[in-house]
Amino acid sequence: MCIVKADFVSLLQNTAVAGGIDISQVLLDLAIILIVAKVAAEISDRLAIPAVIGEILAGILIGNSVLGLVSTNEILYVMSELGVIILLLQVGLETDVIELKNVGRASLFVGVIGVVAPMVLGVGTSVLFGNEIMPSLFLGAALTATSIGITARVFGDLRALATVEARIVLGAAVADDVLGLIILTVITRIVERGSVGIGTIVSTTALAVVFLVITSTIGLTIFPALFSRIAKLSKSSATIPVVAIGITLGFAVLANAANLAPIIGAFVAGFSLRRIVAHERVERDVNSLGQVFIPIFFLNIGINTDISSMANAKVLGIAAALSAVAIFGKLISSVGAFGVRADKLAIGFGMLPRGEVGLIFATIGLRTGVLDENLYGSLLVVVLITTLIAPPLLRWRLGKEQSAIDISDLVSQEPANGWLSVSDGVISLNGTPPVQMLVELGLDTALLVSDARPNDKMLDWFALHRNATLSWNKSATVGLLRVLRYGSARSWRFLDTIGLISRALPEVASAMSARSSDATELDPTHSLRFPTVDAICSNASTTTTDDDEIVLAAFAKDIDDAGANWSQAVHRLGLDLATTSEITMLVEGSAMLHSITQVEPLQITDRLITQIANHLKSPKTVEQCRQLMNARDNINETQHLALIQIVTSVQEVLAHPDLIDSSSNDPLEVRMQAAQALVTDANIHARISNSPASYVLTHSPEELVRHAELVEPLPRPGQARVAVRGMANDEHEWMVNIATKDRSALLARLSGALASLELNVINADIATWPDGAVIDTFIVRSAQKPNLLALDGAVRDSLRGRIANVQRGSLNLSVTIDQSAHPWHSIVRIEGTDRQGLLRDITAGLARSKVIIHHAKISTINAQVHNEFEVSDRLGRKISLQACERVRRALR
């Protein structure tokens, strides 16, 4: 055995240095790169600069130019190349062939000019600086790129995706990508052949076009059917994205075999895969994979950059000149939008950023040897400058354009056929509505976009008012309900595009953003859907306006599940108090049912059932809470049975003739009247009338009378009245009732008194009146009936003496606090090792935390305590987050 172990260790050691590569060093480099990349991206996001800039600068920082933490090696090179493949696969997945055909004249012309002008100017500038034709061609080709991701992010942040400028720029950027990749392929091929002849250009271009046509045809025609078949046969949800990535690598290999750049194969695979049914799932998984490999590519650029070689006059001079022509070339591309009413300067600014595509050009140029360190450094500076200046320039221009618009005379009367009409799959805006109609028309249009697309006039109208103040009214709420019931993912994407969600319901926008970043979610459209709403609306019984509250409650629950503030979102809808209260009751009631069914072992008591019934009040509310819980919460069969048991019991309580009569449907009032009917004493009547609601609902009328008689008249401070009764269900269990006046740490004092008589407390209930009267009811276990005189003496001593201090760290208990498991109170669950006086110490800790104890369930199994306390603040409300922390500190 030892020999085998030694051989295995030796094998690992030999593998670690195979090929001269230190595996441990590579792993350390990867760890540094991934962590630094994420930190750089987070910082960049907070500084409102593109993440690619931060990642490159971070690579320079950790590379040999500055700190020397990471150096280049073969494995990092391979992983960065995989990052490029995945990046181009992403670009392809975002390129819709149909949209490419529909980009329009303006976008196409802007895209073509945005490729030709920078390339011609770049080649000419490079030649003027004395460079040969080969590197000059490559520099010119590198200047053709436009980063669609960076531009789209800026337009989105400014809520300007619906503007004509955004539509032109994003369409042109798609055309740019395709033309730029063809040019890159041709230039790379020419460089490898070493000559610039007409024959070489024609043959290379023809090869690139033939490759694109053949592989695109294969992908667009075969992929949909192939992946549909795979989806039917596969058992694993990961099969489709894994096969898609494998095919992408295969296409990259084919491109390389055809002496073309491998990234052209990845791009073709990407836009072919977009046509399959599961393309959004593939895109999501590719994005997750890209989170690892793409930052390696960008940081590796920084790591390989020799910053000292960039700090010379020649490099900076070339960089300045190339930056100037790169900027000018993209600015003049806006002339392609002639005849279109749009801000030409904003279009030019939108075309500026080279971003990741320009970096790919630079990296390929360095790897093929066509660019030396100086030219590579110059090109890198150009990419950084154009990427860095584009967002602020675009923000400035769009903001200025918005402030210059005068819309006072644009409003028209509503046409007879309404503001909206649909014809031949196109949604048209009739006339010019007032800005007050933004929300209402946005929601109405969102319903229609599932089967039609908005025309340019409509998008222009929404874009014109992208920064207008929105007004929400009852019609808007009705429109929202219709979108929730009948809308689709396209509806929510449209509302997000026109910026209505982020302005009118920012909490919903936060929820959608949080879900879109959830890598564990397998449904690729989940960020544009509300699953609880979908489940509720799929139920035929909730399709009427009588059930609007449960639809809005489901909406609130989805917002809450994403970690956003659902109550604030509901408040923005301008609902009346009764409707808002009902929605709140449904959300909190379903959360309460969920929390109760999660507790193991399940303890459903008459006390709990009665409290839930009084809290939810109506059978309809109970049923709707059950529907909400079933709609979204993942519960097992045991929990489902428990839910049915709870709901059935609560419905029985609400329908029971002993509790609900013709004059009242309030169980609290009925219980009080039943107790008062048993006695004639006015003081007893008053005591019962002023009893806490939770106490009344959990005791029979006879118990209420006995307790009131024990309390009246109120004992003096330091005095108490004690009563002992046997329990009918167990001859060794006894009920001890103690009436006294409230004081600090009362439960701790009384439980200490019981412990001194070796009475094992298994349950405790506390009721407090406004005048300071307290009735503490303990269920204790003892072989003999507790001695009343001894009990009375121990209780009086505990009330007069000082409570023993608990040594710091002596409790060492596990504490969980549940705010959902009870209608009115917070539930504190405590577990730990049992010992003498533990209950006294726990209750003393709760008293020091300044919380009020209403009920306690004490359980000990195999020397381990499992205690549960119902607590509140001094006003009877659930305890605050600060109080929760005080409780945890006191008991740990």
Side-chain angles (χ1 to χ4, degrees):
M1 184 69 179
C2 294
I3 295 174
V4 173
K5 182 177 180 180
D7 289 343
F8 181 68
V9 171
S10 176
L11 177 62
L12 287 177
Q13 292 173 342
N14 291 335
T15 303
V17 294
I21 297 176
D22 187 345
I23 297 299
S24 62
Q25 183 60 48
V26 171
L27 295 177
L28 178 61
D29 290 346
L30 284 175
I32 294 173
I33 287 174
L34 293 176
I35 294 173
V36 170
K38 182 51 65 177
V39 171
E42 292 289 340
I43 295 174
S44 301
D45 191 52
R46 285 159 175 77
L47 295 177
I49 63 175
V52 62
I53 299 293
E55 290 171 350
I56 292 174
L57 295 178
I60 293 174
L61 179 65
I62 65 175
N64 293 327
S65 294
V66 183
L67 298 179
L69 298 178
V70 178
S71 58
T72 184
N73 58 61
E74 294 179 15
I75 294 182
L76 285 182
Y77 168 76
V78 171
M79 296 185 75
S80 67
E81 289 299 298
L82 283 173
V84 178
I85 296 294
I86 294 170
L87 179 60
L88 266 294
L89 172 59
Q90 285 183 333
V91 174
L93 284 166
E94 294 168 358
T95 304
D96 193 331
V97 177
I98 295 177
E99 290 294 329
L100 188 60
K101 292 190 296 184
N102 297 331
V103 293
R105 175 194 58 79
S107 291
L108 185 60
F109 284 176
V110 169
V112 171
I113 296 173
V115 168
V116 174
M119 182 167 182
V120 172
L121 292 172
V123 172
T125 302
S126 178
V127 171
L128 287 176
F129 272 85
N131 295 311
E132 296 180 359
I133 189 62
M134 290 296 184
S136 297
L137 283 172
F138 214 96
L139 286 173
L143 298 186
T144 64
T146 294
S147 174
I148 188 173
I150 294 172
T151 301
R153 171 72 181 271
V154 176
F155 278 120
D157 290 344
L158 296 173
R159 299 191 293 268
L161 284 171
T163 62
V164 63
E165 293 83 6
R167 301 199 303 274
I168 290 175
V169 169
L170 297 181
V174 172
D176 240 352
D177 284 338
V178 177
L179 293 174
L181 285 173
I182 293 175
I183 290 173
L184 172 66
T185 300
V186 172
I187 297 299
T188 303
R189 177 74 166 163
I190 290 173
V191 167
E192 289 175 348
R193 288 195 173 185
S195 62
V196 185
I198 298 297
T200 301
I201 295 175
V202 171
S203 63
T204 303
T205 303
L207 178 61
V209 171
V210 169
F211 178 84
L212 284 171
V213 169
I214 294 176
T215 52
S216 299
T217 302
I218 293 174
L220 294 173
T221 56
I222 296 178
F223 281 9
L226 173 64
F227 279 91
S228 294
R229 184 65 176 170
I230 292 174
K232 292 179 181 179
L233 296 177
S234 62
K235 300 295 184 181
S236 171
S237 60
T239 301
I240 289 179
V242 170
V243 172
I245 293 170
I247 288 177
T248 299
L249 296 177
F251 270 50
V253 171
L254 287 176
N256 188 65
N259 293 318
L260 302 174
I263 58 173
I264 196 74
F267 176 77
V268 173
F271 75 70
S272 299
L273 288 167
R274 185 177 175 84
R275 307 306 303 161
I276 70 174
V277 174
H279 76 90
E280 289 183 314
R281 171 61 199 274
V282 173
E283 186 174 351
R284 184 171 186 80
D285 285 358
V286 168
N287 289 342
S288 298
L289 191 62
Q291 292 292 321
V292 175
F293 286 97
I294 295 176
I296 295 176
F297 167 65
F298 291 134
L299 263 79
N300 201 44
I301 290 174
I303 292 169
N304 289 326
T305 300
D306 183 2
I307 198 169
S308 61
S309 67
M310 297 170 60
N312 65 66
K314 182 178 180 181
V315 171
L316 295 178
I318 296 175
L322 288 176
S323 297
V325 299
I327 293 170
F328 180 73
K330 290 297 183 179
L331 289 178
I332 65 172
S333 69
S334 62
V335 301
F338 61 89
V340 179
R341 186 178 178 181
D343 185 343
K344 305 300 190 296
L345 195 54
I347 293 174
F349 287 157
M351 296 292 290
L352 281 182
R354 268 54 178 185
E356 62 278 359
V357 183
L359 292 172
I360 293 172
F361 278 67
T363 304
I364 293 176
L366 182 65
R367 189 180 69 240
T368 57
V370 67
L371 298 180
D372 59 23
E373 290 289 343
N374 290 341
L375 291 179
Y376 172 77
S378 299
L379 186 54
L380 189 60
V381 171
V382 173
V383 172
L384 294 177
I385 290 176
T386 56
T387 302
L388 199 56
I389 66 171
L393 287 175
L394 199 52
R395 290 187 180 96
W396 166 76
R397 186 60 189 176
L398 290 175
K400 184 175 181 179
E401 173 203 5
Q402 178 68 16
S403 63
I405 294 175
D406 181 9
I407 60 173
S408 57
D409 299 325
L410 299 179
V411 177
S412 61
Q413 294 294 323
E414 181 176 2
N417 60 339
W419 292 115
L420 302 178
S421 61
V422 181
S423 177
D424 296 327
V426 177
I427 310 169
S428 300
L429 183 67
N430 306 317
T432 306
V435 68
Q436 292 81 5
M437 296 290 295
L438 264 174
V439 176
E440 190 174 342
L441 288 179
L443 293 168
D444 289 344
T445 307
L447 268 182
L448 300 173
V449 296
S450 296
D451 303 307
R453 60 181 181 85
N455 66 1
D456 289 343
K457 180 182 177 181
M458 169 171 288
L459 293 175
D460 290 342
W461 183 76
F462 282 116
L464 182 69
H465 302 294
R466 63 181 179 273
N467 292 322
T469 301
L470 301 182
S471 57
W472 194 281
N473 52 32
K474 186 176 181 180
S475 297
T477 301
V478 172
L480 175 64
L481 280 163
R482 292 172 62 202
V483 173
L484 288 171
R485 290 181 185 277
Y486 312 115
S488 65
R490 288 173 59 90
S491 303
W492 293 102
R493 183 179 285 114
F494 171 77
L495 292 174
D496 187 42
T497 298
I498 64 175
L500 191 147
I501 296 296
S502 59
R503 286 183 289 164
L505 298 171
E507 294 79 15
V508 179
S510 297
M512 293 169 67
S513 176
R515 285 193 308 217
S516 67
S517 61
D518 180 10
T520 64
E521 177 60 57
L522 299 181
D523 181 6
T525 64
H526 75 293
S527 64
L528 299 171
R529 300 294 305 180
F530 295 90
T532 310
V533 173
D534 291 344
I536 289 295
C537 292
S538 65
N539 187 343
S541 65
T542 59
T543 56
T544 67
T545 56
D546 292 338
D547 296 295
D548 287 347
E549 289 82 4
I550 191 173
V551 175
L552 291 175
F555 184 49
K557 191 173 187 300
D558 283 326
I559 296 172
D560 183 54
D561 288 344
N565 188 338
W566 67 268
S567 60
Q568 184 62 36
V570 171
H571 176 73
R572 293 183 191 277
L573 301 182
L575 303 170
D576 58 69
L577 180 60
T579 304
T580 302
S581 299
E582 188 167 351
I583 292 170
T584 302
M585 176 74 76
L586 292 176
V587 175
E588 295 180 348
S590 64
M592 177 178 64
L593 293 177
H594 177 82
S595 183
I596 293 171
T597 59
Q598 296 297 307
V599 178
E600 296 182 1
L602 187 68
Q603 298 179 357
I604 304 175
T605 63
D606 291 340
R607 168 192 174 88
L608 179 62
I609 294 298
T610 308
Q611 289 178 328
I612 295 174
N614 188 67
H615 181 62
L616 299 182
K617 298 187 184 306
S618 75
K620 178 182 177 182
T621 302
V622 175
E623 174 58 19
Q624 288 181 329
C625 287
R626 182 198 66 79
Q627 291 178 18
L628 274 179
M629 180 177 167
N630 273 342
R632 183 71 171 132
D633 295 325
N634 296 319
I635 57 177
N636 57 37
E637 183 177 355
T638 301
Q639 292 163 347
H640 178 72
L641 293 175
L643 174 64
I644 298 301
Q645 180 184 347
I646 293 170
V647 170
T648 303
S649 301
V650 171
Q651 298 284 29
E652 288 177 354
V653 169
L654 290 171
H656 201 282
D658 294 338
L659 292 177
I660 308 297
D661 60 20
S662 59
S663 63
S664 173
N665 63 354
D666 187 349
L668 175 64
E669 184 180 343
V670 172
R671 185 66 60 87
M672 284 185 175
Q673 291 175 353
Q676 290 169 336
L678 299 176
V679 291
T680 58
D681 190 312
N683 292 330
I684 302 300
H685 276 211
R687 180 63 61 187
I688 294 173
S689 296
N690 290 285
S691 298
S694 59
Y695 162 74
V696 172
L697 290 168
T698 54
H699 292 80
S700 67
E702 292 77 14
E703 288 176 319
L704 295 176
V705 171
R706 282 197 298 268
H707 293 170
E709 290 174 340
L710 193 63
V711 170
E712 288 294 332
L714 180 62
R716 296 191 304 274
Q719 300 295 316
R721 298 189 189 97
V722 182
V724 179
R725 294 177 58 246
M727 300 295 292
N729 56 341
D730 193 327
E731 62 179 0
H732 297 302
E733 290 185 359
W734 309 88
M735 178 184 290
V736 178
N737 290 316
I738 303 174
T740 185
K741 191 172 179 63
D742 197 13
R743 65 159 303 168
S744 63
L746 179 60
L747 184 58
R749 295 173 184 275
L750 298 180
S751 59
L754 297 175
S756 68
L757 299 176
E758 297 184 353
L759 296 175
N760 185 22
V761 178
I762 61 175
N763 210 330
D765 193 63
I766 304 96
T768 305
W769 280 263
D771 62 355
V774 176
I775 185 79
D776 284 74
T777 301
F778 295 92
I779 306 298
V780 301
R781 190 164 187 82
S782 174
Q784 302 294 328
K785 181 178 180 178
N787 185 287
L788 190 58
L789 290 177
L791 257 177
D792 187 69
V795 168
R796 289 173 186 269
D797 290 341
S798 69
L799 294 175
R800 293 169 182 166
R802 296 181 61 184
I803 188 73
N805 289 327
V806 182
Q807 293 183 357
R808 186 174 181 85
S810 64
L811 291 179
N812 193 27
L813 299 168
S814 171
V815 180
T816 57
I817 301 175
D818 192 338
Q819 300 282 32
S820 304
H822 194 278
W824 309 296
H825 304 147
S826 303
I827 302 298
V828 180
R829 298 188 179 95
I830 301 170
E831 297 181 350
T833 304
D834 193 16
R835 60 171 172 78
Q836 186 72 24
L838 180 60
L839 179 59
R840 176 203 63 198
D841 293 342
I842 291 174
T843 51
L846 292 172
R848 287 196 304 276
S849 303
K850 299 180 181 180
V851 299
I852 307 301
I853 303 173
H854 297 275
H855 181 71
K857 288 187 289 187
I858 315 300
S859 173
T860 304
I861 302 174
N862 297 327
Q864 293 292 310
V865 297
H866 304 274
N867 298 347
E868 185 174 292
F869 295 85
E870 291 177 18
V871 302
S872 73
D873 63 13
R874 296 190 181 278
L875 298 178
R877 303 170 302 191
K878 295 184 179 185
I879 62 176
S880 65
L881 292 175
Q882 293 85 350
C884 290
E885 188 57 34
R886 288 199 303 269
V887 168
R888 292 188 180 97
R889 286 199 303 266
L891 299 181
R892 285 178 181 171

